[in-house]
Amino acid sequence: MDLLSIIIFLPLAGAVLLLLFPRESERAIRGFSLIVSLAAFIVSLRLLTGFQTSAEMQFVKHIPWIPSLGISYIVGVDGLSLFLVLLVTFLQPITILSAFRAITERVKEFYICMLLLETSMIGAFVALDLFLFYVFWELMLIPMYFLIGIWGGQQRIYATIKFFIYTMVGSLLMLVAILVLVYTYKSQSGVLTFELDKLYWVAMSTRTQWLLFLAFALSFAIKVPMFPFHTWLPDAHVEAPTAGSVILAGILLKMGGYGFLRFAMPLFPDAALRAAPLVAILAIIGIIYGACVAMVQKDVKKLVAYSSVSHLGFVMLGLFVLNTQAVEGAIYQMLNHGLSTGALFLLVGVIYERRHTRFIEEFGGITKVMPVYAAIFMVVTLSSIGLPPLNGFIGEFLILIGIFKAKAVYAALAATGVVLGAIYMLWMYQRVFFGEVKHAVNRTLRDLTPREVIVFAPVIALIFFMGVYPNPLISRMEPAVKKFVTEVRAGRGDYMQITRFAEQAGGKWMPAVLEVDPEHPDEETAALVEKETELE
Amino acid sequence: MESYLWIIPFSPLIGAAINGALAILYSHKEKGPREEIISFIGCAAPLASFVIALMIFIRMIGMDEADRILEQTLFPWIWSGALNIEVAFFVDALSMVMVLVVTCVGTIIHFYSIGYMAKDRGFARYFSYLNLFMFAMLTLVMGKNLPLLFVGWEGVGLCSYLLIGFWYSDIYKAAAGKKAFIVNRIGDFAFLLGIFVVYVATLEHGAGTLDFPALSGLVAAHPEAFRGVATAAGILLFIGACGKSAQIPLYVWLPDAMAGPTPVSALIHAATMVTAGVYMIARLSFLYALSPLAMGVVATVGALTALYAATIGICQRDIKKVLAYSTISQLGYMFMAVGVGAFSAGIFHLMTHAFFKACLFLGAGSVIHALRGEQDMFNMGGLSKYMKLTALTFLIASFAIAGVPPLAGFFSKDEILWSTFTSSLSPGWLPMVLWVVTFIAAGITAFYVFRAVFLTFYGKKRLTAEAEAHVHESPSVMTVPLILLAIGSITAGFLGVPQVLGGSNAFHHFLSPAVGAAEHVTHAVQGAGDSVQAIGAAAHAAKEAAAGGVQLSSYTGEVLSEAGGGSHGGSHGLEILLMVLSVLIGIAGILVAQAMYIRNPTLPESISRRARGLYNLVYGKYFVDEAYRETLVKPGYFLSEKVFFKVIDVWIIDGIVNGFGVMARGFGTVLRLLQTGVVRTYALFILLGILYLIYRMVG
């Protein structure tokens, strides 16, 4: 089996094996799940060492799956997805370890869900066949649905249904769009295929592109979540168990940004360019609005949830500005958000386990009782508000400098998020950790256990590493990002791409555009590349 | 020697890491780690930096003036597309002065802290933060590019936050730390945009760079093109400086910052961190020099702050608050200096101020320590009997800040006033106005500082019983630093004795490779308005500066002096006259303070009673905090909670979503009719569906 498939299916195999465990042997179940997820992480490190710095898809595996419908199993990673896959395999063992004490009911089912979730998330990040992607995309929802619905809090049913309605609406529209896309390709080339690489070259009228883009974009925007499609997030987070929140914030939300990167934007570049101002404005609203609403929350978890809306606004803005720095910053910020928000949810989980409340006013003066916890919380807070030289700064800086190059006003508006972020995070920190210990119950709170320290240590280490020495990551992203930027900017209307399509289709189909200037396709390409370098 | 540069910032970082780790390891123990070990690590780390800085300084003096630049590149930091930012250190004359001031004053204050913080449970944590601060501050002054400067800039802000709220159990102290961080962040927002403006401008000229040497070369090569950029970036970056260096309108955090331990106030909020803005402008002098507008803004804000804060200083009761407003005011002088193009004068005052203000703060700390935390000067008085050394050093530093010759403050303040008076800022009346404003502020400064001296150390004793029982001179680990700083307050000025007094102004000379050219350019650009000749000369001067030449060619020099014309320069006689005037107003301030607080102690009371409204206004610090709270904080919170959250999120968006939910349930009720439970019906539906699909695919 090839490397990627091993990484994808190892957790699934683990989940199947878990079925064989007697449900009483909870220790064994926990240990086994941890080992499986650790194994997946270790194997995934091979991706890092074997990755060549180039724009090409790597570790590609192509197996026909349902040939009659043109469906294949194609997986591969490039600079856009490499670190997202690693983020999954990195966070998964940490999350599993963090749940050891929190989850005491239906332990077996819980870990089966977690492992299923891992398979589907990795699958969605590496799938290069639209059908395969859709399968993984939908598969993610099921374990998440159960995680919130079974191990969630008081209002979990409302939260799960809201989560489901939101995501299903998006997904269904996307499914329709995928079918239309495949069908259009077939009508042009005579080939029925879901292969992404081929579908990049479908010729479409502007109107069709626009509609299909909207369908994809809505689905991804809900996942991100972008303002105004974000209200499922606070509810889902508040009701989800800690592990669910970590995975939700840390990875599932990244699916939205990744969807734009891999699908919505390159498939429909003209529409994406046209939508850019709209997305940018929504993203900026999200940054400011999310931060303001986070500020007034009384529940720490809800505060962190709204802060995600703000942070991911940066990501979306970066993606749609479409230059090297902004897009690299956006991907980097996705990783940062995965780490720091994931860690924040883990931290909230720690006090929730001890006090069974997350209301800010129930705390105060916690530093005195839990100094180690307070120190770690501080580092994560600083990472979240983008203090250099921690990881958050790198992402924000790249995004903002990229935006500023393109449109200074956007950057100025977005940068207010830097101020607002400090306000809501530090105010929350002050109310939870500083002052006298207000409530007698809090006097006896236990500081982090060794197990919990182990949970946080790798996250903290990575927060520092990614801030001090981001180069190994950025340099691996760069070729793929540059390719992405050039191609999306080129747009589909450009005949260079249509020429390529014509070649792929064996010259059977010749669009009218080609006749305009068939002589100098290379000049045009060169001009495009030049335009991009100029923008640098 | 260059390969040792990195040790200067990293030595304190290592200290911070060790002490931080110890603090955490001992966090659940009854007692902290042994103070001897902590203080050894905590003081050795900055001392090592100081020693290496001295060695590098000695080496630098031996070098040719034009070559006095040391660089060390460690590793690539942010490399993305055409953006290449490295972790690299850079020490020229300007950075050298800053490094020496920071490590010297910093080390002295570290030693003092051993005594001041003794027996505090957070001893290890304190030294860890203080060392971390040294690391950040040194990164700030040694960073080779703007983003690295920004790392230090944010880093010192963080340490300031942590140290102001050091005694976090007191929620007011913690809140003061948070306020400092947030107000600074507002400045940082503009600072970031300023960095971007510079970067984009360099891109347009073919080289995206944020490295200082490369930037200065690029600006010198295209002085015309960078004029607009200089204004935009200059003002944005200056807003950042207003936050960090507590200038109008972002100064409000500094008085609150006095909640931190007093050595912290001395180190961070007087001697070093708050001067970062002045350093930044001097560092970018080549850019600022091109924009008369940005320079005018800097100078004017500086002068206004100098006067404004000085007036608040008059009425404060808390000894540390007096010194805090005094710091804001003195920083105003420094900004005015760099704003009129007297970069070396600004840095000179920065250095002398570091000595005398640190001395004043540590002296205040010594008093507070002796009186068990008492900070109200009206509960002090007559302490000179009990604390001779503290009183003496405090007095010396007070004379220094009051500008009494030949102490340090006299030379540096006078150079600023003279440079302002002779500057070529436009409109033409502006230099005169700025001079008058800061001249008055100088008198007020002398008054409020000596008010503090008299209230604290002389006159009638007004101690509380508890304080009375404890009053004592501080241990030598605290008084020796006071003495060292007092010596600095006396001698530091002799480094910059002006020519008119027969000196050679060695300080100015040493700095000129770094900022000398920019000083000339400032005059050229401002001197003759928009005359073509002046701009041409400015361009020429800038180019020569870029080539490393300090001495301008005779041609450029001529054109410059012509263009600068009458406004540049002034007679020796005038210089002496102004000097005498400023000494006189200083002495007048001291005498008034003596009259009011020693000879006739009831006078202040009756004055404040007669001018009740004015007194309340000044005592209430012009109610700026309250104004900010009412116009920004409260409406912001209201908007967020009531409009954004309650109306938009909960009511509108969720209302729509829940509407969908209800609709779905409605559909469900209808669709339930289809669920007959009869398998054959389902099969029929499936068949119909498949047929339709086949039809679509084939057709």
Side-chain angles (χ1 to χ4, degrees):
Chain A
M1 221 169 160
D2 62 293
L3 184 63
L4 264 183
S5 303
I6 292 175
I7 301 170
I8 299 171
F9 293 111
L10 194 68
L12 181 66
V16 172
L17 285 177
L18 268 187
L19 289 173
L20 304 176
F21 281 63
R23 74 171 40 254
E24 306 79 50
S25 50
E26 296 183 350
R27 276 179 66 100
I29 292 172
R30 292 191 178 108
F32 182 73
S33 318
L34 182 63
I35 290 168
V36 170
S37 61
L38 272 176
F41 174 62
I42 291 165
V43 177
S44 72
L45 288 178
R46 274 287 296 142
L47 288 180
L48 195 62
T49 51
F51 189 83
Q52 306 292 320
T53 306
S54 86
E56 295 306 306
M57 273 296 166
Q58 300 174 38
F59 307 99
V60 177
K61 185 71 184 175
H62 190 156
I63 311 169
W65 181 15
I66 314 176
S68 57
L69 294 176
I71 296 169
S72 322
Y73 170 85
I74 316 173
V75 292
V77 290
D78 64 356
L80 307 182
S81 54
L82 171 67
F83 292 102
L84 290 166
V85 173
L86 288 169
L87 181 69
V88 180
T89 58
F90 173 80
L91 275 184
Q92 197 72 22
I94 289 173
T95 316
I96 285 180
L97 184 62
S98 80
F100 273 18
R101 275 199 50 203
I103 302 297
T104 48
E105 276 172 46
R106 295 175 185 262
V107 175
K108 188 165 145 183
E109 287 83 349
F110 178 83
Y111 288 103
I112 290 175
C113 277
M114 289 296 286
L115 291 175
L116 275 181
L117 202 51
E118 181 167 9
T119 287
S120 54
M121 290 184 304
I122 299 173
F125 280 133
V126 300
L128 298 175
D129 177 284
L130 272 178
F131 189 83
L132 185 67
F133 168 74
Y134 193 76
V135 169
F136 282 127
W137 172 269
E138 290 294 299
L139 193 62
M140 281 185 315
L141 291 184
I142 298 164
M144 195 35 110
Y145 181 81
F146 286 126
L147 277 181
I148 304 175
I150 296 177
W151 293 275
Q154 299 286 317
Q155 298 282 318
R156 58 180 183 265
I157 301 303
Y158 173 71
T160 34
I161 288 177
K162 201 168 174 185
F163 171 68
F164 217 72
I165 290 178
Y166 257 114
T167 39
M168 281 311 286
V169 167
S171 301
L172 285 176
L173 284 174
M174 182 166 71
L175 180 63
V176 173
I178 291 176
L179 293 177
V180 172
L181 188 68
V182 169
Y183 181 71
T184 316
Y185 183 84
K186 180 167 179 287
S187 73
Q188 288 170 357
S189 67
V191 182
L192 179 65
T193 182
F194 283 82
E195 199 176 322
L196 187 60
D197 217 25
K198 297 217 170 85
L199 295 174
Y200 280 144
W201 314 115
V202 185
M204 275 175 287
S205 70
T206 325
R207 192 170 155 275
T208 323
Q209 238 197 82
W210 183 241
L211 287 174
L212 296 186
F213 173 79
L214 285 184
F216 270 80
L218 181 69
S219 175
F220 297 137
I222 287 171
K223 199 67 115 197
V224 167
M226 286 190 73
F227 178 87
F229 309 112
H230 65 276
T231 60
W232 63 272
L233 186 73
D235 286 309
H237 271 310
V238 169
E239 298 308 324
T242 299
S245 292
V246 175
I247 297 298
L248 191 59
I251 302 157
L252 278 195
L253 303 189
K254 308 301 161 306
M255 225 40 102
Y258 175 76
F260 278 102
L261 262 176
R262 177 74 75 210
F263 303 101
M265 297 175 75
L267 278 173
F268 318 106
D270 299 317
L273 289 175
R274 197 173 139 200
L278 175 71
V279 175
I281 288 164
L282 286 179
I284 289 168
I285 294 177
I287 291 172
I288 297 171
Y289 178 91
C292 287
V293 177
M295 182 174 71
V296 300
Q297 295 307 313
K298 296 180 165 58
D299 178 328
V300 187
K301 217 171 176 186
K302 226 167 182 173
L303 185 151
V304 179
Y306 276 106
S307 83
S308 293
V309 177
S310 184
H311 282 284
L312 291 162
F314 273 103
V315 172
M316 290 312 297
L317 194 54
L319 287 184
F320 274 81
V321 161
L322 271 174
N323 57 43
T324 311
Q325 279 105 34
V327 175
E328 279 173 10
I331 300 175
Y332 212 80
Q333 196 64 359
M334 287 202 242
L335 304 174
N336 292 335
H337 180 264
L339 278 183
S340 60
T341 308
L344 280 173
F345 280 123
L346 286 172
L347 286 162
V348 175
V350 167
I351 41 168
Y352 185 74
E353 264 178 53
R354 286 161 172 69
R355 277 290 320 277
H356 298 286
T357 178
R358 290 180 299 249
F359 282 102
I360 295 173
E361 60 183 31
E362 287 291 323
F363 299 97
I366 297 298
T367 308
K368 203 151 229 169
V369 200
M370 306 173 72
V372 178
Y373 176 70
I376 291 177
F377 207 120
M378 175 53 81
V379 174
V380 177
T381 300
L382 296 174
S383 151
S384 169
I385 64 179
L387 191 97
L390 300 181
N391 60 347
F393 174 72
I394 310 289
E396 277 181 9
F397 186 79
L398 282 173
I399 292 175
L400 287 174
I401 207 167
I403 300 170
F404 193 89
K405 265 166 45 178
K407 205 156 171 104
V409 184
Y410 287 174
L413 290 171
T416 55
V418 172
V419 180
L420 296 170
I423 295 178
Y424 65 76
M425 286 307 285
L426 292 183
W427 192 38
M428 179 269 283
Y429 193 90
Q430 175 189 319
R431 286 176 294 164
V432 173
F433 289 96
F434 294 150
E436 293 290 344
V437 184
K438 274 192 303 190
H439 303 276
V441 251
N442 291 337
R443 267 182 235 288
T444 50
L445 287 180
R446 188 170 174 206
D447 205 349
L448 296 186
T449 62
R451 176 182 62 86
E452 286 165 332
V453 172
I454 294 171
V455 166
F456 289 110
V459 182
I460 299 291
L462 210 52
I463 281 176
F464 275 101
F465 179 81
M466 283 177 64
V468 174
Y469 194 50
N471 209 35
L473 288 90
I474 297 178
S475 64
R476 283 178 173 81
M477 292 172 193
E478 186 142 312
V481 169
K482 280 193 162 146
K483 180 167 169 244
F484 166 81
V485 169
T486 320
E487 292 193 353
V488 175
R489 275 185 179 278
R492 188 175 295 274
D494 188 85
Y495 73 84
M496 176 187 76
Q497 297 203 351
I498 295 177
T499 321
R500 276 196 221 155
F501 171 74
E503 280 164 12
Q504 286 199 344
K508 191 175 108 190
W509 177 82
M510 282 286 173
V513 200
L514 248 184
E515 287 157 21
V516 180
D517 188 8
E519 300 287 313
H520 313 285
D522 291 342
E523 268 176 34
E524 195 72 0
T525 320
L528 271 170
V529 174
E530 217 167 84
K531 191 173 137 205
E532 165 60 16
T533 26
E534 235 171 66
L535 282 159
E536 288 295 324
Chain B
M1 208 70 217
E2 286 180 327
S3 54
Y4 295 134
L5 279 184
W6 68 277
I7 302 176
I8 298 178
F10 278 83
S11 163
L13 180 65
I14 293 165
I18 297 173
N19 278 342
L22 283 174
I24 286 187
L25 282 178
Y26 279 76
S27 59
H28 283 289
K29 303 229 162 74
E30 187 74 14
K31 278 167 113 181
R34 289 184 52 158
E35 291 189 359
E36 292 85 348
I37 296 171
I38 300 297
S39 36
F40 176 75
I41 298 167
C43 294
L47 186 63
S49 302
F50 178 56
V51 171
I52 291 180
L54 267 185
M55 284 159 60
I56 288 175
F57 175 64
I58 291 165
R59 164 87 195 283
M60 188 180 255
I61 293 182
M63 288 159 66
D64 245 12
E65 256 181 37
D67 306 333
R68 284 180 183 169
I69 290 175
L70 299 162
E71 289 183 40
Q72 184 180 22
T73 303
L74 296 187
F75 54 87
W77 188 34
I78 306 179
W79 277 22
S80 163
L83 178 71
N84 292 311
I85 302 167
E86 283 170 327
V87 175
F89 295 118
F90 165 85
V91 173
D92 64 349
L94 175 62
S95 293
M96 193 74 246
V97 171
M98 292 301 293
V99 168
L100 285 174
V101 170
V102 170
T103 53
C104 173
V105 177
T107 306
I108 291 175
I109 294 175
H110 272 73
F111 277 102
Y112 177 93
S113 298
I114 298 174
Y116 192 85
M117 296 302 288
K119 299 196 179 68
D120 191 292
R121 179 62 185 82
F123 198 78
R125 189 164 55 92
Y126 174 85
F127 273 94
S128 167
Y129 291 167
L130 212 58
N131 277 353
L132 186 65
F133 169 79
M134 293 294 283
F135 163 71
M137 189 68 207
L138 290 165
T139 305
L140 196 164
V141 296
M142 288 172 66
K144 193 188 167 190
N145 50 54
L146 264 173
L148 207 55
L149 184 151
F150 189 68
V151 171
W153 188 272
E154 291 279 274
V156 292
L158 167 70
C159 298
S160 166
Y161 163 76
L162 293 171
L163 283 162
I164 294 168
F166 181 75
W167 289 303
Y168 54 79
S169 299
D170 182 344
I171 197 77
Y172 295 102
K173 294 189 160 120
K178 183 198 64 187
K179 179 175 174 185
F181 198 102
I182 289 170
V183 174
N184 267 294
R185 268 269 154 147
I186 295 171
D188 295 345
F189 156 79
F191 195 97
L192 266 179
L193 294 180
I195 295 179
F196 299 155
V197 170
V198 173
Y199 178 68
V200 171
T202 61
L203 270 185
E204 279 160 13
H205 295 94
T209 183
L210 289 167
D211 279 4
F212 296 122
L215 264 180
S216 110
L218 201 63
V219 171
H222 311 274
E224 263 312 282
F226 274 90
R227 287 192 77 177
V229 178
T231 303
I235 290 177
L236 284 168
L237 292 169
F238 176 61
I239 296 174
C242 284
K244 190 72 46 195
S245 300
Q247 297 295 291
I248 294 173
L250 296 179
Y251 68 90
V252 288
W253 62 273
L254 186 61
D256 292 34
M258 296 300 119
T262 307
V264 169
S265 313
L267 177 60
I268 301 185
H269 305 121
T272 57
M273 179 186 86
V274 288
T275 63
V278 181
Y279 164 77
M280 183 273 294
I281 292 179
R283 172 51 71 218
L284 292 175
S285 54
F286 55 85
L287 191 65
Y288 273 92
L290 292 176
S291 169
L293 179 60
M295 293 288 270
V297 170
V298 172
T300 310
V301 170
L304 290 179
T305 308
L307 180 63
Y308 172 83
T311 60
I312 301 181
I314 296 175
C315 294
Q316 295 300 308
R317 296 173 67 100
D318 181 329
I319 185 168
K320 284 182 75 180
K321 288 271 165 78
V322 175
L323 297 178
Y325 282 104
S326 162
T327 303
I328 298 174
S329 169
Q330 295 295 310
L331 288 165
Y333 278 95
M334 296 176 212
F335 277 106
M336 186 177 72
V338 294
V340 299
F343 298 104
S344 64
I347 298 295
F348 186 34
H349 195 58
L350 186 160
M351 182 193 72
T352 59
H353 176 258
F355 286 105
F356 60 69
K357 188 53 68 62
C359 187
L360 287 172
F361 262 116
L362 294 189
S366 177
V367 170
I368 295 166
H369 192 69
L371 303 182
R372 291 237 149 169
E374 181 62 71
Q375 293 186 202
D376 188 339
M377 293 185 298
F378 287 86
N379 293 333
M380 296 178 184
L383 291 179
S384 63
K385 253 179 284 170
Y386 304 93
M387 319 178 68
K388 290 210 169 56
L389 272 174
T390 304
L392 178 67
T393 52
F394 199 92
L395 192 64
I396 291 171
S398 300
F399 276 118
I401 194 176
V404 174
L407 301 180
F410 163 72
F411 293 106
S412 56
K413 190 190 286 182
D414 221 72
E415 195 180 342
I416 292 176
L417 287 175
W418 177 242
S419 308
T420 306
F421 192 81
T422 56
S423 79
S424 17
L425 277 182
S426 62
W429 46 262
L430 190 58
M432 183 65 88
V433 171
L434 295 183
W435 183 86
V436 170
V437 165
T438 43
F439 176 74
I440 295 169
I444 299 177
T445 303
F447 171 76
Y448 69 68
V449 167
F450 274 85
R451 172 178 172 266
V453 170
F454 294 134
L455 281 176
T456 308
F457 294 104
Y458 300 98
K460 230 182 79 190
K461 204 165 65 174
R462 300 174 298 273
L463 299 181
T464 58
E466 199 213 343
E468 173 100 52
H470 281 98
V471 62
H472 61 277
E473 179 60 290
S474 297
S476 55
V477 70
M478 287 165 74
T479 50
V480 172
L482 285 176
I483 294 167
L484 291 177
L485 290 170
I487 293 172
S489 309
I490 297 170
T491 56
F494 294 117
L495 291 173
V497 179
Q499 273 157 2
V500 71
L501 294 182
S504 62
N505 207 339
F507 191 85
H508 186 89
H509 197 70
F510 178 70
L511 269 185
S512 66
V515 297
E519 295 187 341
H520 289 294
V521 175
T522 312
H523 277 292
V525 172
Q526 296 180 349
D530 284 330
S531 96
V532 182
Q533 204 186 20
I535 293 166
H540 209 83
K543 265 187 197 144
E544 283 179 9
V550 185
Q551 307 299 327
L552 300 172
S553 74
S554 56
Y555 163 74
T556 324
E558 254 169 55
V559 181
L560 276 179
S561 57
E562 252 173 59
S567 64
H568 189 198
S571 72
H572 284 329
L574 188 61
E575 189 172 354
I576 299 277
L577 176 69
L578 293 185
M579 210 176 266
V580 171
L581 280 179
S582 71
V583 171
L584 285 179
I585 197 169
I587 290 172
I590 296 171
L591 291 178
V592 172
Q594 200 227 1
M596 284 175 67
Y597 294 95
I598 297 291
R599 265 186 291 161
N600 193 356
T602 54
L603 195 58
E605 182 66 20
S606 67
I607 292 177
S608 65
R609 209 172 324 113
R610 247 175 294 161
R612 179 63 42 197
L614 183 66
Y615 177 80
N616 282 344
L617 184 68
V618 178
Y619 184 68
K621 301 168 272 182
Y622 302 103
F623 301 103
V624 172
D625 274 321
E626 287 75 7
Y628 284 170
R629 187 159 57 235
E630 293 302 321
T631 57
L632 296 172
V633 180
K634 281 188 179 171
Y637 193 87
F638 179 84
L639 187 73
S640 301
E641 190 185 22
K642 295 288 187 294
V643 180
F644 288 171
F645 183 50
K646 292 272 163 65
V647 174
I648 298 185
D649 233 59
V650 176
W651 200 61
I652 299 181
I653 301 179
D654 265 1
I656 294 171
V657 176
N658 292 339
F660 271 116
V662 172
M663 223 160 71
R665 202 175 304 157
F667 275 127
T669 324
V670 177
L671 290 176
R672 196 150 53 196
L673 301 176
L674 292 175
Q675 276 190 342
T676 55
V678 181
V679 180
R680 261 178 305 174
T681 325
Y682 294 161
L684 182 67
F685 286 139
I686 293 170
L687 184 67
L688 286 174
I690 291 173
L691 282 177
Y692 177 74
L693 275 179
I694 292 172
Y695 165 76
R696 289 304 309 232
M697 283 189 176
V698 177

